[in-house]
Structure formats: C-alpha cells, structure tokens
Amino acid sequence: MYAASNYINRGLTFLNNRWFPSRKKLSTLMIYGTDLCNSACKHCLIWTKRPVNYLPFDKIKEIMQSRCISKKTTVGLEGGEFLLHPDAMDIMAWFVKHHPNFDLLTNALKPEAIVEAVDRNPPKRLFISLDGDKDAYLHMRGKDGYDGIIRVLEQTHKKVPISLMFTLSPYNDFKDMEHVATVAKRFNIDLRIGVYNDISFFDTIESAHYNDIGSLQSADIRSYQDAKKLIDAKEPVTATVNPPGTTRENLMRIREKIPSIVKEFPENYDFLVLYDEWRRGGTKLSCNSIMDSLVILPNGDVPICQNLDVLIGNVFTNSLDEVFNGPGAIEKQKHYQKNCNACWINFHRKYDVILFRTFEKYFGRMATRKLLGQYWWESEKKKSYRQLMKD
C-alpha cells in the first residue's frame, strides 16, 4: 500500500521541519470537506451536527496554493461523508488534474456514488470504513451498509488501491477485526486498524479507553434525538497532555486477543500491542506528527492535532501558511511535540511508532533519546521495540 518512497519522503520532510520550523512542509493534509454524514454511528455522533458546514470549493483551491503544500503532500478528502459535499465530484476532478496525490475516505453508504467517483476521478487511494460483519456494522453504525461495501470492493478493488479501515472499540470486538481482515485478504487489499478515541470534532460520548473492547456491544440503534440528548448532557473536556487518568489493570490484555491474521498486514499488530501498553501508562512517545500533518475542519478551524481542543488558527482568518508556520503555531507545536502523550490516534501515533522504532534500529536507544527525546515502550522502560514485540 505504501512504498519505500513514502517513508523516505516523510523522513526528508521531518529533517526539513526540524531544521526550518518556520518553513515546514506538510506530509499529510486532511481536508474535512463537510460535517454532514449519512451514518448513525455510536462511536461518532458527527451525524447530529447542525447547522451543517461545508468547506467551499474556492477555499480548498486557495488552500492548495499554500507554500507548505508540495506535490508530495498527501491530501485526504473526508467528512462527515465527503461525497455529500455539493461540489464533491468537481473537487475530486480538480485534484485529479492539479494534485493527483489525494485519497478519498468514505463510509461507502452511497455505493454507486463511490464507484462513479473512482471511475471518473480516481484517487490515489480509497479508504473504506468497515467495523465488522453485517450485524456488527448495523449495530455499530446504525445503517445496513455492509452489502454495499462488498459491492464497492467487487467493482473497484482492481481499479484503485484500497484500505479497509477498522476501528477497534467498545462497540465491536476481535471477531469483528478478524472478519474485516478476512475480507481484506479476499480482495487482496490493505487493512488499516485504528482504535476508538475521544475526539471532540466527532462528538464522542463514552470514554474510549476505560470502556473495554466489546463492553458496549448491543443491537440498539441510536436515534437522532437520543444522540442529541447525550451530546447536550456531556461534560466539557479539558485538554491534557497525559494518557487518560490512572490505568486499570482489569482491562483485557489486547495482545492476547489479536487475531493471528492481523500479522499479515504491516503496521497493525505493533500498533495494537503498543496501544495495550499505552492505555496502562506504559508507552511514552513524543508527538512528532503534528510537525508535518494537519487537519482542516469544515468551518475552517485548524487544530494542532485530531485529539486536543487546541487551535492554531482558521483558514478564513489567515492563510494556511500563516496558520501552520506562524510564530504562535511554532510555539504550540514545540510544546506539544515534546510533552504530549495523550492519545492513540492512528493518524498521529502510527507515524511516531515508525519514527522511533526506525531510529532505535539504526542508531540505538541512547542516540534516539538524544535525537527525539525521552521515550519508552513499556512501563519498566527497559525493553527495546524488538524485545517487546518478541515477548
């Protein structure tokens, strides 16, 4: 799915951004084109947002002229459901012509639209959310979308590289993970496993890391009215740089539950093993992805990352270059890069895992600490990445 050149380019960007913090380049830019969504997920209540926001096509084109974006920058188009943006096809057509290095992320609840989009304006990669079998999908996402996803895979898997995105959460379990991995094997496509996190943009409700895997599974479908009541009753969350609260030893040992088939898909097994360590307070990595990866929300807000409610600007007020490379942003980026260990979001943490394990492999643990700061893989702070994965 990702070639060696992807990692080399990101490594070069890392060095550039380290040496020239006011001239940083983006490796990844996620454009949330709209917060309108046609799903009814339990783990994400973005589908209840009103009024609906759309990032205008003209603003997207303006953003893409920014100096911090290069032809090597991977742009992700998502939402909500990106294809619900009124200019979705025109935006994709523009990217095909002017910046073909773009991905489309979708729930595929409009199968015919996805197939048409791939045929007319093919992205570099297509990411499709699939969180279990037919029943699990219905009960977790509130819509009967499983068969539609299979149709999309049948019609597009030979046309464009595809990743199935599986989110491990309190609403599904490891059998669902195994099922999705089997589907990926069937179509010979990539698998991207993430874990459910508390992200304010998605209006998450239940605690991601204290409600154990599979503990909230049910056949109930969440209504719009019920979802709005949950949102209205939720207490405000204060941003923190630390993992959530104190650890709980009675949480299941994820490592013992991971299906063996997951090892056939790179960058997933270690991500889950380290998540198991992190949610008990055992893993500490500095956050380096915020120096080269960014998200833009439909209202123009630019948070420092997907997890913290910390804004560095708004693209309707300032240019993206001013937002990303301005003095205020640089100060916040340096602070949170060194001090934040508060999430296990795959958009951020998979990069950190790859960065630290690569430096450790070639330069050793002492040199890695000098280059990237203090880190450890497990609570005793003794094991190398290789030793931890061997155990």
Side-chain angles (χ1 to χ4, degrees):
M1 186 66 175
Y2 292 95
S5 59
N6 296 110
Y7 299 103
I8 293 171
N9 289 334
R10 194 157 187 182
L12 294 174
T13 301
F14 171 82
L15 294 175
N16 173 82
N17 295 356
R18 193 76 175 253
W19 292 333
F20 308 107
S22 63
R23 287 183 279 164
K24 295 188 299 298
K25 298 291 184 179
L26 286 169
S27 292
T28 307
L29 174 64
M30 304 305 293
I31 296 177
Y32 289 86
T34 178
D35 47 27
L36 180 62
C37 186
N38 52 352
S39 190
C41 299
K42 292 176 180 175
H43 65 300
C44 167
L45 302 187
I46 193 175
W47 49 279
T48 68
K49 285 186 184 292
R50 299 295 185 275
V52 172
N53 291 296
Y54 301 100
L55 195 62
F57 186 10
D58 285 343
K59 178 56 69 172
I60 292 174
K61 288 188 285 188
E62 176 188 313
I63 289 167
M64 291 303 299
Q65 305 310 310
S66 304
R67 293 187 302 276
C68 61
I69 296 175
S70 73
K71 65 179 181 179
K72 296 177 182 178
T73 301
T74 297
V75 177
L77 302 178
E78 62 176 306
E81 174 56 32
F82 181 80
L83 288 185
L84 297 179
H85 192 294
D87 298 317
M89 286 297 189
D90 291 336
I91 293 170
M92 291 182 65
W94 185 91
F95 271 93
V96 168
K97 183 176 181 180
H98 298 283
H99 193 92
N101 187 20
F102 77 99
D103 301 332
L104 176 64
L105 292 83
T106 179
N107 59 27
L109 286 175
K110 298 179 69 176
E112 293 76 16
I114 295 297
V115 174
E116 180 185 2
V118 168
D119 287 340
R120 287 175 52 187
N121 304 302
K124 189 168 184 180
R125 304 177 191 86
L126 177 64
F127 291 80
I128 301 176
S129 296
L130 183 62
D131 294 317
D133 61 16
K134 185 177 177 67
D135 288 337
Y137 189 100
L138 173 63
H139 298 149
M140 182 170 172
R141 291 186 165 259
K143 297 292 179 72
D144 188 10
Y146 181 89
D147 292 338
I149 288 175
I150 299 301
R151 292 201 304 274
V152 170
L153 295 176
E154 290 172 343
Q155 296 180 55
T156 62
H157 75 282
K158 293 183 179 180
K159 298 177 181 179
V160 64
I162 298 176
S163 284
L164 285 182
M165 296 188 298
F166 175 87
T167 301
L168 184 65
S169 76
Y171 310 96
N172 57 7
D173 57 27
F174 294 93
K175 290 182 180 179
D176 296 313
M177 180 189 292
E178 184 172 26
H179 176 85
V180 175
T182 302
V183 173
K185 286 277 289 185
R186 171 186 166 190
F187 290 98
N188 193 29
I189 58 178
D190 182 48
L191 175 66
R192 300 279 101 183
I193 295 176
V195 295
Y196 168 63
N197 284 266
D198 303 313
I199 302 176
S200 61
F201 175 64
F202 296 118
D203 286 330
T204 54
I205 297 297
E206 287 86 5
S207 174
H209 310 296
Y210 285 122
N211 290 292
D212 214 346
I213 307 303
S215 63
L216 298 177
Q217 287 177 302
S218 76
D220 297 334
I221 304 298
R222 186 167 285 170
S223 69
Y224 177 85
Q225 290 76 15
D226 289 341
K228 288 297 289 183
K229 289 179 182 177
L230 288 170
I231 293 171
D232 292 340
K234 183 178 180 181
E235 295 291 330
V237 178
T238 303
T240 174
V241 298
N242 299 310
T246 55
T247 58
R248 283 175 53 187
E249 284 301 321
N250 61 326
L251 288 171
M252 69 170 61
R253 297 286 172 174
I254 289 178
R255 184 170 187 158
E256 300 170 2
K257 304 288 185 179
I258 303 173
S260 59
I261 191 174
V262 169
K263 293 184 178 180
E264 301 179 37
F265 299 91
E267 298 174 18
N268 289 299
Y269 178 77
D270 60 345
F271 181 75
L272 292 172
V273 169
L274 291 169
Y275 171 58
D276 200 19
E277 295 285 343
W278 173 84
R279 68 180 187 157
R280 291 182 172 80
T283 298
K284 180 185 183 300
L285 305 175
S286 60
C287 185
N288 296 276
S289 64
I290 60 173
M291 306 301 287
D292 79 340
S293 299
L294 210 60
V295 301
I296 301 177
L297 304 183
N299 66 355
D301 280 345
V302 182
I304 194 169
C305 69
Q306 287 190 335
N307 184 64
L308 298 174
D309 288 329
V310 177
L311 296 181
I312 58 173
N314 184 291
V315 294
F316 289 106
T317 305
N318 297 97
S319 71
L320 182 63
D321 288 314
E322 292 169 334
V323 170
F324 182 53
N325 283 325
I330 292 173
E331 184 179 352
K332 289 180 180 178
Q333 288 159 348
K334 286 183 177 179
H335 172 73
Y336 286 101
Q337 178 195 26
K338 293 179 180 178
N339 299 302
C340 193
N341 187 40
C343 82
W344 205 256
I345 296 174
N346 54 343
F347 181 69
H348 299 292
R349 286 319 216 174
K350 285 196 175 182
Y351 173 61
D352 289 323
V353 171
I354 293 169
L355 183 68
F356 276 90
R357 78 183 187 195
T358 302
F359 269 78
E360 185 180 270
K361 177 180 179 181
Y362 291 105
F363 304 110
R365 295 165 71 186
M366 185 177 297
T368 300
R369 288 193 175 103
K370 289 184 178 180
L371 290 166
L372 301 178
Q374 281 292 335
Y375 77 100
W376 46 83
W377 301 111
E378 40 76 39
S379 57
E380 294 183 357
K381 308 177 186 179
K382 296 180 179 179
K383 296 179 181 177
S384 66
Y385 168 85
R386 186 177 181 182
Q387 289 171 328
L388 181 64
M389 291 303 136
K390 271 188 172 183
D391 287 349

